[in-house]
Amino acid sequence: IVLRREGTVEFYAPDPRAYGSIYSAPVFYNPAMEKNRTLSVLFLKAYGATGLTVCEPLSGTGVRGIRYAVETGAVGRLILNDISREAVELIKKNLEVNGVDAEVYNEDANVLLHRLRDKCDVVDIDPFGSPAPFLQAGFRALREEGVICVTATDTAVLVGRYPKKCLRRYGAVMFKTPFYIEAGLRNLTGYVARVAASEDYGFEPLFAYWEGHYFRLCARAVRGARDADSNFNFIGYVEYKKPSRKVVRRPGERSLGPLWVGPMGDPILVNKMAEYGPYGDFLQLLSEEYSVAAPWFFKVPEFALGGVSRGIEEALNALKKGGIYAVRTHMAPDGFKTEVSAGEVERVLRIVI
Ligand code: SAM
């Protein structure tokens, strides 16, 4: 156990050098999730509410919840939990180190969430792998209106690298496309939106992104059958016929989905997050992406001529010159998002060499 620092908190976590892998440590702590935690802190701060009841039912060392309490000024009641006894001991120690008050439980996350029915403003589900087993209970723990945040590290499943498992876990048909990362994020979002609907919650993504080994989604949920019905206005399928993409209402031979085909985040909220400090450029990019409605991106090499592809800068300049609005995407260094068709992109990139 070593003392570590993240944001403005200090906390104890297993020394990664003492164990072969983070998965062999007695309590789980992944330093590679620092960006996830920091962005989540910024999100809660920008969300703008105070006195919130925040539940993190899969707490590990407790660092995430403790950072929420110390760094956001948004938390009124903090509820931490882990199924591991060692984790709970460490959470208590870390709360003490930071002078933070919280209720700490040692239960199965689903049992706790059901006991907290109607009590939470924010539920943050940060599991190993898929959040699917905890979603229904997560919504049940929310009040009339709340925020649900989920991390999914089963990215390979979500993007469709294991099609059968993807169908089993998420009820979606996925195959590889140039924009498979966005498709994976929208697969996760569509799934959460459908669980929200089944629990009579309307659903609105506020902040969603991908980083290498995980997807992250924070969404507002409002109880009401009518709102819940509206979720399906944004559930659709994406038909991919190289290189064209199209949103279709019904599944077909060449379509992915069901996917969330609506907005992935709130550009205003994300701009506000950017004002608070780190990851400003990343957040700026996300807010630009959220303003493009097309639920996919293109990759410059898709429009290579005679096997020669240009760089992203050159392609963006050419598109701009051709009068086409396009922005980069955080999901691929050679990717861009635009609302025009593949055919139009092709025409412009072919002419303006
Ligand atoms: N949220 C933490 C953070 O940001 O550092 C990391 C959480 S870690 C990915 C997942 C945690 O969930 C582990 O500590 C594990 O012991 C716990 N866990 C796994 N299954 C659980 C269950 N059914 N109920 C409660 N906790 C569980």
Side-chain angles (χ1 to χ4, degrees):
I1 294 279
V2 291
L3 192 63
R4 302 187 64 108
R5 209 187 161 79
E6 247 188 52
T8 64
V9 311
E10 283 192 319
F11 61 101
Y12 289 96
D15 183 354
R17 283 161 306 182
Y19 304 90
S21 108
I22 48 173
Y23 296 99
S24 337
V27 179
F28 187 81
Y29 170 72
N30 186 357
M33 283 291 187
E34 178 277 332
K35 180 171 174 180
N36 180 329
R37 285 182 287 269
T38 299
L39 290 172
S40 302
V41 164
L42 299 179
F43 167 80
L44 208 54
K45 215 164 145 180
Y47 186 66
T50 53
L52 299 173
T53 296
V54 177
C55 177
E56 198 205 356
L58 305 128
S59 297
T61 62
V63 57
R64 180 181 292 267
I66 292 171
R67 289 193 63 188
Y68 289 162
V70 173
E71 298 180 44
T72 68
V75 181
R77 178 180 175 200
L78 180 63
I79 304 166
L80 302 182
N81 177 72
D82 204 283
I83 202 160
S84 137
R85 214 174 274 277
E86 287 107 316
V88 166
E89 289 314 309
L90 196 56
I91 291 166
K92 288 182 177 159
K93 184 168 170 158
N94 284 331
L95 284 164
E96 207 178 294
V97 171
N98 290 281
V100 170
D101 262 338
E103 294 155 50
V104 186
Y105 299 100
N106 183 199
E107 294 188 56
D108 183 280
N110 281 326
V111 173
L112 175 72
L113 288 167
H114 275 98
R115 224 163 25 75
L116 291 172
R117 195 167 190 134
D118 263 333
K119 299 243 175 0
C120 300
D121 299 295
V122 179
V123 172
D124 192 332
I125 298 170
D126 187 39
F128 294 138
S130 172
F134 306 107
L135 285 175
Q136 188 185 53
F139 281 104
R140 289 184 181 180
L142 287 184
R143 293 188 213 262
E144 285 274 308
E145 193 182 326
V147 170
I148 191 139
C149 295
V150 305
T151 306
T153 56
D154 59 337
T155 52
V157 176
L158 280 159
V159 302
R161 218 151 78 80
Y162 309 106
K164 284 186 188 161
K165 188 157 187 182
C166 180
L167 185 58
R168 261 189 349 257
R169 179 137 302 136
Y170 296 104
V173 173
M174 301 292 284
F175 52 86
K176 183 118 187 223
T177 61
F179 55 97
Y180 69 96
I181 293 170
E182 181 156 354
L185 181 57
R186 288 177 179 278
N187 177 15
L188 172 69
T189 308
Y191 183 80
V192 180
R194 289 182 338 261
V195 176
S198 79
E199 293 299 315
D200 282 338
Y201 278 95
F203 172 86
E204 178 197 0
L206 297 175
F207 175 54
Y209 70 95
W210 164 80
E211 185 197 357
H213 56 296
Y214 68 93
F215 292 118
R216 177 76 170 159
L217 164 69
C218 299
R220 203 169 79 95
V222 182
R223 200 180 292 150
R226 200 102 39 94
D227 287 322
D229 286 340
S230 312
N231 297 355
F232 291 92
N233 296 338
F234 294 117
I235 299 286
Y237 298 80
V238 171
E239 189 182 85
Y240 173 66
K241 288 181 186 159
K242 194 177 171 179
S244 90
R245 298 110 157 101
K246 194 163 86 185
V247 175
V248 292
R249 294 297 305 173
R250 305 269 165 253
E253 195 71 21
R254 310 281 286 274
S255 68
L256 306 161
L259 304 178
W260 180 261
V261 295
M264 289 304 301
D266 175 355
I268 296 168
L269 184 91
V270 172
N271 280 331
K272 204 160 138 200
M273 288 168 66
E275 286 168 21
Y276 291 131
Y279 302 116
D281 292 346
F282 177 75
L283 290 165
Q284 172 66 39
L285 178 56
L286 281 188
S287 95
E288 284 173 20
E289 282 189 55
Y290 294 162
S291 62
V292 177
W296 50 69
F297 60 81
F298 293 103
K299 280 168 79 92
V300 182
E302 289 184 73
F303 304 97
L305 286 175
V308 182
S309 175
R310 344 166 177 225
I312 178 75
E313 278 307 334
E314 203 188 329
L316 286 173
N317 282 335
L319 288 166
K320 197 169 172 182
K321 250 198 239 164
I324 291 174
Y325 180 74
V327 300
R328 279 172 181 271
T329 168
H330 75 286
M331 296 183 248
D334 56 355
F336 60 90
K337 286 182 73 77
T338 179
E339 289 177 6
V340 307
S341 68
E344 257 173 277
V345 170
E346 202 164 28
R347 206 154 45 236
V348 168
L349 290 190
R350 202 170 276 158
I351 294 165
V352 198
I353 284 269

